[in-house]
Each structure stands twice: as structure tokens, then as C-alpha cells.
Amino acid sequence: MTWMITGGAGYIGAHVMRALTGAGERVVVLDDLSSGAARRLDPGVPVVRGSALDGELLARSLAEHQVTGVVHLAARKQVAESMARPSRYYADNLGGLGTLLEAVTGAGVERFVFSSSAAVYGTPDVELITEDTPCAPVNPYGETKLAGEWLVRAAGRAHGMSTTCLRYFNVAGCAAPELADTGVFNVIPMVFDRLTRGEAPRIFGDDHPTPDGTCVRDYVHVADLADAHLAAVRRLSGKPAGDLTLNIGRGEGVSVRELLTLIAEVSGDDRAPLVEPRRAGDAPRAVACARRAAEELGWTARRDAREMVGSAWRGWLAHRSPQPAEQY
């Protein structure tokens, strides 16, 4: 079998690529390198430079590489940007997915793994979020992920294609410094960025209904997330039937204040955080129930929050020097 990974030069995509190739799977990467980094690509993996919006390129590439399964990660994923440019998110995320599914089903590909997000749930007031928790996204990014799941399942039913939708919670860490997340969009790199500029980290609200007043989130190591993709690929390879929707998280909550304490210990910078007002739309708690992933895939997260923060910090330090623009 050959698996095409769209967005395989991205932060998550490169980890998925390494997990699959390390387990002996044949892989081809599709990436336009608009946000992915060429330095993350393994020399032995074929790369098609292009977009999921290019139907002709997709059809040629699927045939040329005899692709039998697709892991679709290529998408825009910044919540704030989605609020400012909703039409772009719908056009790229859903338009690209629709074009890809047309090419995939036309080529007779029978297996499809979709990169979804806990953003589909919105801000549910529950202790643990299960796959049956009602979906009520609160931003266009989450809306495109939920609509993407609907589209994937519909294509699967119409064409006899087996599908798996993985709903990621908060992804962090890195398996190797060269694969690190160098963008300043998620909470851990945002704190690193402030520390390296000599500024105090920020807490948005310390009066939430949580044990220490700060928001609680479920953080999953990106290497564990990659292992979840490998488990999904293996399951689809062995049992190509039906569809699955699974939460991918640790099932344990870490508060913002606890996270900042870990970052201070790892970085050696223990300056006191600034407490600012709550942000609109921030759920006090968002923690996964990951039991179904364990039952269906035999997968559980193995790495803890300290390992996530430590590996992320090492990766951050490795990329502090400016990188040539063409690598990003």
C-alpha cells in the first residue's frame, strides 16, 4: 500500500510521515510549502509540490504513485485568522477537501484519514468531551472541520470508502528539533516567544471555575498524535470498512498556570505571568475522553506534559536563528 499525506511538510504532517515510514509504510507527500517547511521532509520520501485544490495534479499523482490511502492534513488552522477571513477558510479547507475527495474516489482509493479538531465541539460545559458530545463550533475554523467530517463520511458512504476522522485536542512538543513547531500561534510557542523577547507570559483570566482559576486544556504530544495516525492507517489497511470518529488526547487536564510552571522549570525563566481579562469564547475546561481511540485503535498517549514542554523548548532553541524564507 502507498499512503499520500497531504500537508506532509507541516509540523504535524512531518511527524505523521516519520511515524509511517518508520513503521515500514510507503508514503508520498503532497505539500505546496506555503506553510510547511522543506527541511522537515525526508530525502527518501517522494514529494509532490502542489495544492489539494489542483484536481488535475491530484489525479496524476494518485495514479503515478499508485496511492491506496490518503491522510489529509493540509488545511488552514488559525482560529483568529478564520474569524477575520472566513471565506478563505471555507474556500481552502472545504474546497480543497472536496477537490481531493473527487480525485480520490475517481482513482478508486478506498481508505481516507481526515485531520479534524476538538474545535468542532465549541465550548461544551462537561467534565470530559466524548465523541457523542454535541458539536457546536464557535469559529469558522471549527465549522470547516465539522463540515469536513460530514463531507468525508458522505463520500465514504457514496463510494464504499473507509474513513476515519481524528479530532485532535491541543498538540505540543516535537520528536526531534528539526520537526519543531516554529510558528507563534499556539500557547506553548507563544509563551516561549515572550520569554525570549524578555517579556512576561500572559494568563487570560484567573477567575474561571477551575481549581486554580485558569483554563484547563488537554495537551497531547505530537509524537503520540503521529502514532494515532499510524494506528488508524493500520486499522484501515486491515479492515477497510465503515467509518470512525475518534478523540485524540490524553484525557488529562493541565491548567494554564500549571503549564506556565512547567515552562518556567524547563526554560529556567520563572518571571511572574501577567494576568489579563478573560478572552471571549474561552471554555473554562476542554479535556478529551479518549477511551474510544483505545478501544478501536489500541492507542493511548504515552508522553506527559513535562516531556511535551521539554521537547518543544529544545526545538524552539534550535530554531531561534533566522531561517531562509524559501524554507517556509
Short mmCIF file of all heavy atoms in Angstrom, two decimals, residues 234-296:
data_model
loop_
_atom_site.label_atom_id
_atom_site.label_comp_id
_atom_site.label_asym_id
_atom_site.label_seq_id
_atom_site.Cartn_x
_atom_site.Cartn_y
_atom_site.Cartn_z
N ARG A 234 -3.09 1.50 10.06
CA ARG A 234 -3.01 0.05 10.19
C ARG A 234 -4.40 -0.57 10.28
O ARG A 234 -4.66 -1.64 9.72
CB ARG A 234 -2.18 -0.30 11.43
CG ARG A 234 -0.68 -0.02 11.24
CD ARG A 234 -0.04 -1.09 10.37
NE ARG A 234 1.30 -0.79 9.94
CZ ARG A 234 2.40 -1.02 10.67
NH1 ARG A 234 2.31 -1.48 11.90
NH2 ARG A 234 3.59 -0.77 10.16
N ARG A 235 -5.30 0.09 10.99
CA ARG A 235 -6.66 -0.44 11.09
C ARG A 235 -7.35 -0.43 9.75
O ARG A 235 -8.02 -1.40 9.36
CB ARG A 235 -7.48 0.36 12.11
CG ARG A 235 -8.87 -0.24 12.38
CD ARG A 235 -9.65 0.62 13.34
NE ARG A 235 -10.83 -0.06 13.83
CZ ARG A 235 -11.99 -0.14 13.17
NH1 ARG A 235 -12.10 0.40 11.97
NH2 ARG A 235 -13.04 -0.77 13.71
N LEU A 236 -7.23 0.66 9.00
CA LEU A 236 -7.85 0.74 7.69
C LEU A 236 -7.23 -0.25 6.72
O LEU A 236 -7.90 -0.78 5.84
CB LEU A 236 -7.75 2.16 7.14
CG LEU A 236 -8.62 3.21 7.84
CD1 LEU A 236 -8.37 4.59 7.23
CD2 LEU A 236 -10.10 2.86 7.72
N SER A 237 -5.94 -0.49 6.87
CA SER A 237 -5.27 -1.44 5.99
C SER A 237 -5.79 -2.86 6.23
O SER A 237 -5.91 -3.66 5.30
CB SER A 237 -3.75 -1.41 6.23
OG SER A 237 -3.22 -0.14 5.95
N GLY A 238 -6.11 -3.16 7.48
CA GLY A 238 -6.56 -4.50 7.81
C GLY A 238 -8.05 -4.70 7.69
O GLY A 238 -8.52 -5.78 7.34
N LYS A 239 -8.83 -3.64 7.97
CA LYS A 239 -10.28 -3.76 7.95
C LYS A 239 -10.88 -2.59 7.18
O LYS A 239 -11.42 -1.65 7.77
CB LYS A 239 -10.83 -3.79 9.38
CG LYS A 239 -10.39 -4.99 10.18
CD LYS A 239 -11.22 -5.15 11.46
CE LYS A 239 -11.00 -4.02 12.42
NZ LYS A 239 -11.73 -4.20 13.70
N PRO A 240 -10.79 -2.59 5.85
CA PRO A 240 -11.29 -1.45 5.07
C PRO A 240 -12.81 -1.43 4.96
O PRO A 240 -13.40 -1.77 3.94
CB PRO A 240 -10.63 -1.67 3.70
CG PRO A 240 -10.50 -3.16 3.60
CD PRO A 240 -10.24 -3.65 5.00
N ALA A 241 -13.47 -1.05 6.06
CA ALA A 241 -14.93 -0.98 6.05
C ALA A 241 -15.41 0.03 7.07
O ALA A 241 -14.85 0.15 8.15
CB ALA A 241 -15.52 -2.36 6.35
N GLY A 242 -16.45 0.78 6.70
CA GLY A 242 -17.10 1.67 7.65
C GLY A 242 -16.38 2.98 7.90
O GLY A 242 -15.52 3.40 7.13
N ASP A 243 -16.76 3.64 9.01
CA ASP A 243 -16.14 4.91 9.36
C ASP A 243 -15.99 5.00 10.87
O ASP A 243 -16.71 4.36 11.62
CB ASP A 243 -16.97 6.09 8.85
CG ASP A 243 -18.33 6.19 9.55
OD1 ASP A 243 -18.41 6.87 10.58
OD2 ASP A 243 -19.31 5.60 9.05
N LEU A 244 -15.01 5.79 11.29
CA LEU A 244 -14.74 6.03 12.71
C LEU A 244 -14.56 7.52 12.94
O LEU A 244 -14.02 8.23 12.07
CB LEU A 244 -13.46 5.32 13.15
CG LEU A 244 -13.49 3.83 13.46
CD1 LEU A 244 -12.07 3.37 13.79
CD2 LEU A 244 -14.42 3.54 14.62
N THR A 245 -14.96 8.00 14.12
CA THR A 245 -14.65 9.36 14.56
C THR A 245 -14.11 9.24 15.97
O THR A 245 -14.78 8.69 16.85
CB THR A 245 -15.90 10.24 14.53
OG1 THR A 245 -16.41 10.30 13.20
CG2 THR A 245 -15.57 11.65 15.01
N LEU A 246 -12.89 9.74 16.18
CA LEU A 246 -12.19 9.49 17.44
C LEU A 246 -11.55 10.75 18.00
O LEU A 246 -10.93 11.52 17.25
CB LEU A 246 -11.09 8.44 17.24
CG LEU A 246 -11.53 7.08 16.67
CD1 LEU A 246 -10.30 6.26 16.33
CD2 LEU A 246 -12.42 6.36 17.66
N ASN A 247 -11.67 10.96 19.31
CA ASN A 247 -10.90 11.98 20.00
C ASN A 247 -9.46 11.52 20.16
O ASN A 247 -9.20 10.35 20.49
CB ASN A 247 -11.47 12.23 21.40
CG ASN A 247 -12.78 12.98 21.38
OD1 ASN A 247 -13.12 13.65 20.42
ND2 ASN A 247 -13.53 12.86 22.47
N ILE A 248 -8.52 12.45 19.97
CA ILE A 248 -7.11 12.16 20.21
C ILE A 248 -6.58 13.14 21.25
O ILE A 248 -6.33 14.31 20.98
CB ILE A 248 -6.28 12.26 18.91
CG1 ILE A 248 -6.85 11.31 17.85
CG2 ILE A 248 -4.83 11.93 19.20
CD1 ILE A 248 -6.84 9.84 18.22
N GLY A 249 -6.49 12.65 22.48
CA GLY A 249 -6.00 13.45 23.60
C GLY A 249 -5.50 12.52 24.69
O GLY A 249 -5.54 11.30 24.56
N ARG A 250 -5.06 13.11 25.79
CA ARG A 250 -4.54 12.31 26.90
C ARG A 250 -5.61 11.99 27.92
O ARG A 250 -5.44 11.11 28.77
CB ARG A 250 -3.39 13.05 27.61
CG ARG A 250 -2.14 13.18 26.75
CD ARG A 250 -1.06 13.99 27.45
NE ARG A 250 -0.64 13.35 28.70
CZ ARG A 250 -0.72 13.93 29.89
NH1 ARG A 250 -1.23 15.14 30.02
NH2 ARG A 250 -0.29 13.31 30.97
N GLY A 251 -6.71 12.72 27.89
CA GLY A 251 -7.75 12.50 28.88
C GLY A 251 -7.41 13.10 30.23
O GLY A 251 -8.04 12.78 31.23
N GLU A 252 -6.40 13.98 30.26
CA GLU A 252 -5.98 14.65 31.49
C GLU A 252 -5.87 16.15 31.23
O GLU A 252 -5.36 16.57 30.20
CB GLU A 252 -4.62 14.13 31.96
CG GLU A 252 -4.61 12.66 32.32
CD GLU A 252 -3.24 12.18 32.76
OE1 GLU A 252 -2.38 13.04 33.03
OE2 GLU A 252 -3.04 10.96 32.82
N GLY A 253 -6.34 16.93 32.18
CA GLY A 253 -6.29 18.37 32.02
C GLY A 253 -5.07 19.01 32.66
O GLY A 253 -4.61 18.55 33.71
N VAL A 254 -4.55 20.04 32.01
CA VAL A 254 -3.45 20.85 32.56
C VAL A 254 -3.91 22.31 32.51
O VAL A 254 -4.32 22.79 31.45
CB VAL A 254 -2.16 20.67 31.74
CG1 VAL A 254 -1.05 21.57 32.29
CG2 VAL A 254 -1.71 19.22 31.73
N SER A 255 -3.86 22.98 33.62
CA SER A 255 -4.28 24.38 33.64
C SER A 255 -3.19 25.27 33.05
O SER A 255 -2.01 24.88 32.98
CB SER A 255 -4.61 24.84 35.06
OG SER A 255 -3.42 25.04 35.80
N VAL A 256 -3.58 26.46 32.65
CA VAL A 256 -2.61 27.41 32.12
C VAL A 256 -1.53 27.71 33.15
O VAL A 256 -0.33 27.76 32.83
CB VAL A 256 -3.31 28.70 31.67
CG1 VAL A 256 -2.27 29.77 31.29
CG2 VAL A 256 -4.24 28.44 30.50
N ARG A 257 -1.93 27.88 34.40
CA ARG A 257 -0.93 28.17 35.44
C ARG A 257 0.02 26.98 35.63
O ARG A 257 1.23 27.17 35.80
CB ARG A 257 -1.61 28.55 36.75
CG ARG A 257 -0.66 29.23 37.74
CD ARG A 257 -1.39 29.76 38.95
NE ARG A 257 -2.23 30.91 38.68
CZ ARG A 257 -1.78 32.15 38.54
NH1 ARG A 257 -0.48 32.41 38.61
NH2 ARG A 257 -2.61 33.14 38.32
N GLU A 258 -0.50 25.76 35.60
CA GLU A 258 0.36 24.58 35.70
C GLU A 258 1.31 24.50 34.51
O GLU A 258 2.49 24.16 34.67
CB GLU A 258 -0.50 23.32 35.77
CG GLU A 258 -1.25 23.15 37.08
CD GLU A 258 -2.25 22.02 37.03
OE1 GLU A 258 -2.74 21.70 35.92
OE2 GLU A 258 -2.55 21.46 38.10
N LEU A 259 0.81 24.84 33.34
CA LEU A 259 1.65 24.82 32.14
C LEU A 259 2.78 25.84 32.26
O LEU A 259 3.94 25.54 31.93
CB LEU A 259 0.80 25.10 30.91
CG LEU A 259 1.50 25.00 29.56
CD1 LEU A 259 1.89 23.56 29.26
CD2 LEU A 259 0.59 25.54 28.45
N LEU A 260 2.46 27.04 32.74
CA LEU A 260 3.49 28.06 32.90
C LEU A 260 4.54 27.66 33.94
O LEU A 260 5.72 27.99 33.79
CB LEU A 260 2.85 29.39 33.27
CG LEU A 260 1.98 30.05 32.19
CD1 LEU A 260 1.45 31.39 32.68
CD2 LEU A 260 2.74 30.23 30.89
N THR A 261 4.12 26.95 34.96
CA THR A 261 5.08 26.45 35.95
C THR A 261 6.04 25.46 35.31
O THR A 261 7.26 25.50 35.55
CB THR A 261 4.35 25.78 37.13
OG1 THR A 261 3.53 26.77 37.78
CG2 THR A 261 5.32 25.20 38.13
N LEU A 262 5.53 24.57 34.48
CA LEU A 262 6.38 23.61 33.76
C LEU A 262 7.34 24.34 32.83
O LEU A 262 8.53 24.00 32.75
CB LEU A 262 5.53 22.64 32.95
CG LEU A 262 4.98 21.42 33.66
CD1 LEU A 262 4.08 20.62 32.72
CD2 LEU A 262 6.11 20.54 34.17
N ILE A 263 6.85 25.33 32.11
CA ILE A 263 7.70 26.08 31.19
C ILE A 263 8.81 26.79 31.96
O ILE A 263 9.97 26.83 31.52
CB ILE A 263 6.85 27.07 30.37
CG1 ILE A 263 5.94 26.31 29.40
CG2 ILE A 263 7.75 28.05 29.61
CD1 ILE A 263 4.96 27.18 28.65
N ALA A 264 8.48 27.36 33.11
CA ALA A 264 9.50 28.04 33.92
C ALA A 264 10.57 27.06 34.37
O ALA A 264 11.77 27.36 34.35
CB ALA A 264 8.84 28.70 35.13
N GLU A 265 10.18 25.86 34.78
CA GLU A 265 11.15 24.86 35.22
C GLU A 265 12.05 24.41 34.07
O GLU A 265 13.26 24.23 34.24
CB GLU A 265 10.41 23.66 35.81
CG GLU A 265 9.69 23.97 37.11
CD GLU A 265 8.80 22.84 37.58
OE1 GLU A 265 8.74 21.80 36.87
OE2 GLU A 265 8.16 22.97 38.64
N VAL A 266 11.47 24.23 32.90
CA VAL A 266 12.24 23.75 31.75
C VAL A 266 13.16 24.83 31.19
O VAL A 266 14.31 24.58 30.83
CB VAL A 266 11.27 23.23 30.65
CG1 VAL A 266 12.01 23.03 29.33
CG2 VAL A 266 10.62 21.93 31.10
N SER A 267 12.64 26.05 31.11
CA SER A 267 13.39 27.14 30.50
C SER A 267 14.33 27.84 31.47
O SER A 267 15.28 28.52 31.05
CB SER A 267 12.43 28.18 29.91
OG SER A 267 11.72 28.84 30.95
N GLY A 268 14.09 27.73 32.77
CA GLY A 268 14.87 28.46 33.77
C GLY A 268 14.44 29.90 33.93
O GLY A 268 15.06 30.66 34.68
N ASP A 269 13.35 30.29 33.25
CA ASP A 269 12.84 31.67 33.33
C ASP A 269 11.54 31.63 34.12
O ASP A 269 10.51 31.20 33.62
CB ASP A 269 12.59 32.22 31.93
CG ASP A 269 12.29 33.70 31.92
OD1 ASP A 269 11.67 34.19 32.90
OD2 ASP A 269 12.64 34.38 30.93
N ASP A 270 11.59 32.09 35.36
CA ASP A 270 10.42 31.97 36.23
C ASP A 270 9.77 33.31 36.52
O ASP A 270 9.17 33.51 37.58
CB ASP A 270 10.81 31.28 37.54
CG ASP A 270 11.86 32.06 38.32
OD1 ASP A 270 12.35 33.09 37.80
OD2 ASP A 270 12.18 31.64 39.45
N ARG A 271 9.86 34.23 35.57
CA ARG A 271 9.22 35.53 35.80
C ARG A 271 7.71 35.36 35.96
O ARG A 271 7.09 34.48 35.33
CB ARG A 271 9.55 36.51 34.68
CG ARG A 271 8.88 36.25 33.36
CD ARG A 271 9.43 37.17 32.27
NE ARG A 271 10.81 36.80 31.93
CZ ARG A 271 11.68 37.65 31.39
NH1 ARG A 271 11.34 38.91 31.18
NH2 ARG A 271 12.89 37.24 31.08
N ALA A 272 7.11 36.17 36.78
CA ALA A 272 5.68 36.06 37.09
C ALA A 272 4.85 36.43 35.87
O ALA A 272 5.14 37.40 35.16
CB ALA A 272 5.34 36.99 38.25
N PRO A 273 3.80 35.67 35.60
CA PRO A 273 2.95 35.98 34.44
C PRO A 273 2.07 37.20 34.70
O PRO A 273 1.76 37.55 35.85
CB PRO A 273 2.09 34.73 34.30
CG PRO A 273 2.05 34.12 35.66
CD PRO A 273 3.37 34.44 36.29
N LEU A 274 1.68 37.84 33.62
CA LEU A 274 0.72 38.94 33.68
C LEU A 274 -0.68 38.36 33.56
O LEU A 274 -0.95 37.55 32.67
CB LEU A 274 0.95 39.92 32.52
CG LEU A 274 2.32 40.61 32.45
CD1 LEU A 274 2.42 41.43 31.17
CD2 LEU A 274 2.52 41.49 33.67
N VAL A 275 -1.57 38.77 34.44
CA VAL A 275 -2.96 38.31 34.38
C VAL A 275 -3.79 39.37 33.68
O VAL A 275 -3.83 40.52 34.11
CB VAL A 275 -3.52 38.01 35.78
CG1 VAL A 275 -4.98 37.59 35.68
CG2 VAL A 275 -2.69 36.91 36.46
N GLU A 276 -4.42 38.98 32.58
CA GLU A 276 -5.25 39.89 31.80
C GLU A 276 -6.69 39.38 31.80
O GLU A 276 -6.96 38.24 32.22
CB GLU A 276 -4.69 40.00 30.38
CG GLU A 276 -3.26 40.54 30.36
CD GLU A 276 -2.76 40.82 28.95
OE1 GLU A 276 -3.56 40.68 28.00
OE2 GLU A 276 -1.58 41.16 28.82
N PRO A 277 -7.64 40.19 31.34
CA PRO A 277 -9.05 39.76 31.35
C PRO A 277 -9.27 38.52 30.49
O PRO A 277 -8.51 38.23 29.56
CB PRO A 277 -9.80 40.97 30.78
CG PRO A 277 -8.89 42.13 31.03
CD PRO A 277 -7.50 41.60 30.89
N ARG A 278 -10.32 37.82 30.81
CA ARG A 278 -10.71 36.65 30.01
C ARG A 278 -10.90 37.04 28.54
O ARG A 278 -11.30 38.16 28.24
CB ARG A 278 -12.04 36.07 30.50
CG ARG A 278 -12.06 35.48 31.87
CD ARG A 278 -13.43 34.81 32.05
NE ARG A 278 -13.72 34.43 33.43
CZ ARG A 278 -14.81 33.75 33.78
NH1 ARG A 278 -15.70 33.41 32.85
NH2 ARG A 278 -15.00 33.42 35.05
N ARG A 279 -10.66 36.07 27.66
CA ARG A 279 -10.98 36.25 26.25
C ARG A 279 -12.36 35.67 25.98
O ARG A 279 -12.73 34.64 26.51
CB ARG A 279 -9.95 35.55 25.36
CG ARG A 279 -8.56 36.14 25.45
CD ARG A 279 -7.58 35.38 24.58
NE ARG A 279 -7.47 33.98 24.97
CZ ARG A 279 -6.54 33.16 24.51
NH1 ARG A 279 -5.66 33.59 23.63
NH2 ARG A 279 -6.50 31.90 24.91
N ALA A 280 -13.11 36.33 25.12
CA ALA A 280 -14.44 35.84 24.76
C ALA A 280 -14.32 34.47 24.09
O ALA A 280 -13.45 34.25 23.24
CB ALA A 280 -15.12 36.82 23.81
N GLY A 281 -15.17 33.55 24.49
CA GLY A 281 -15.21 32.24 23.85
C GLY A 281 -14.29 31.20 24.45
O GLY A 281 -14.32 30.04 24.03
N ASP A 282 -13.46 31.57 25.42
CA ASP A 282 -12.57 30.59 26.05
C ASP A 282 -13.37 29.69 27.01
O ASP A 282 -13.97 30.18 27.98
CB ASP A 282 -11.46 31.29 26.85
CG ASP A 282 -10.24 31.60 26.00
OD1 ASP A 282 -10.19 31.12 24.85
OD2 ASP A 282 -9.36 32.33 26.49
N ALA A 283 -13.38 28.40 26.73
CA ALA A 283 -14.04 27.46 27.63
C ALA A 283 -13.19 27.28 28.88
O ALA A 283 -11.97 27.18 28.79
CB ALA A 283 -14.23 26.12 26.94
N PRO A 284 -13.80 27.24 30.06
CA PRO A 284 -13.01 27.01 31.27
C PRO A 284 -12.25 25.68 31.23
O PRO A 284 -11.12 25.58 31.70
CB PRO A 284 -14.06 27.01 32.39
CG PRO A 284 -15.20 27.79 31.84
CD PRO A 284 -15.22 27.48 30.38
N ARG A 285 -12.86 24.65 30.63
CA ARG A 285 -12.26 23.32 30.61
C ARG A 285 -12.58 22.63 29.28
O ARG A 285 -13.72 22.69 28.81
CB ARG A 285 -12.83 22.49 31.77
CG ARG A 285 -12.32 21.05 31.83
CD ARG A 285 -12.93 20.31 33.02
NE ARG A 285 -12.58 18.89 32.98
CZ ARG A 285 -11.46 18.38 33.51
NH1 ARG A 285 -10.60 19.17 34.11
NH2 ARG A 285 -11.21 17.08 33.44
N ALA A 286 -11.57 21.99 28.68
CA ALA A 286 -11.78 21.20 27.47
C ALA A 286 -10.81 20.02 27.51
O ALA A 286 -9.64 20.15 27.16
CB ALA A 286 -11.55 22.05 26.22
N VAL A 287 -11.31 18.89 27.97
CA VAL A 287 -10.49 17.69 28.16
C VAL A 287 -11.19 16.52 27.47
O VAL A 287 -12.40 16.34 27.61
CB VAL A 287 -10.26 17.38 29.65
CG1 VAL A 287 -9.42 16.12 29.82
CG2 VAL A 287 -9.58 18.57 30.33
N ALA A 288 -10.41 15.72 26.76
CA ALA A 288 -10.97 14.62 25.98
C ALA A 288 -11.25 13.39 26.82
O ALA A 288 -10.53 13.10 27.77
CB ALA A 288 -9.98 14.23 24.87
N CYS A 289 -12.26 12.66 26.42
CA CYS A 289 -12.37 11.26 26.78
C CYS A 289 -11.80 10.50 25.58
O CYS A 289 -12.36 10.56 24.48
CB CYS A 289 -13.82 10.86 27.02
SG CYS A 289 -14.02 9.08 27.27
N ALA A 290 -10.70 9.81 25.76
CA ALA A 290 -10.02 9.13 24.65
C ALA A 290 -10.22 7.62 24.70
O ALA A 290 -9.48 6.87 24.08
CB ALA A 290 -8.52 9.46 24.68
N ARG A 291 -11.25 7.18 25.41
CA ARG A 291 -11.48 5.74 25.57
C ARG A 291 -11.75 5.05 24.24
O ARG A 291 -11.30 3.94 23.99
CB ARG A 291 -12.65 5.51 26.52
CG ARG A 291 -12.89 4.05 26.89
CD ARG A 291 -14.06 3.88 27.82
NE ARG A 291 -13.88 4.70 29.02
CZ ARG A 291 -14.69 5.70 29.37
NH1 ARG A 291 -15.72 6.00 28.60
NH2 ARG A 291 -14.46 6.40 30.46
N ARG A 292 -12.49 5.72 23.36
CA ARG A 292 -12.86 5.07 22.10
C ARG A 292 -11.64 4.82 21.22
O ARG A 292 -11.55 3.79 20.55
CB ARG A 292 -13.90 5.91 21.34
CG ARG A 292 -14.49 5.20 20.14
CD ARG A 292 -15.60 6.01 19.48
NE ARG A 292 -16.74 6.17 20.39
CZ ARG A 292 -17.83 6.89 20.08
NH1 ARG A 292 -17.90 7.52 18.90
NH2 ARG A 292 -18.84 6.99 20.93
N ALA A 293 -10.68 5.74 21.24
CA ALA A 293 -9.45 5.52 20.47
C ALA A 293 -8.69 4.30 20.99
O ALA A 293 -8.11 3.54 20.22
CB ALA A 293 -8.56 6.76 20.52
N ALA A 294 -8.69 4.12 22.31
CA ALA A 294 -8.04 2.95 22.89
C ALA A 294 -8.74 1.66 22.47
O ALA A 294 -8.09 0.65 22.12
CB ALA A 294 -8.01 3.06 24.41
N GLU A 295 -10.07 1.70 22.45
CA GLU A 295 -10.83 0.51 22.10
C GLU A 295 -10.72 0.18 20.62
O GLU A 295 -10.59 -0.99 20.24
CB GLU A 295 -12.31 0.71 22.47
CG GLU A 295 -12.54 0.83 23.97
CD GLU A 295 -13.95 1.29 24.31
OE1 GLU A 295 -14.70 1.70 23.38
OE2 GLU A 295 -14.31 1.24 25.50
N GLU A 296 -10.79 1.18 19.77
CA GLU A 296 -10.82 0.95 18.32
C GLU A 296 -9.44 0.80 17.69
O GLU A 296 -9.27 0.05 16.74
CB GLU A 296 -11.57 2.10 17.63
CG GLU A 296 -13.04 2.21 18.01
CD GLU A 296 -13.89 1.09 17.41
OE1 GLU A 296 -13.38 0.35 16.54
OE2 GLU A 296 -15.06 0.95 17.81
#
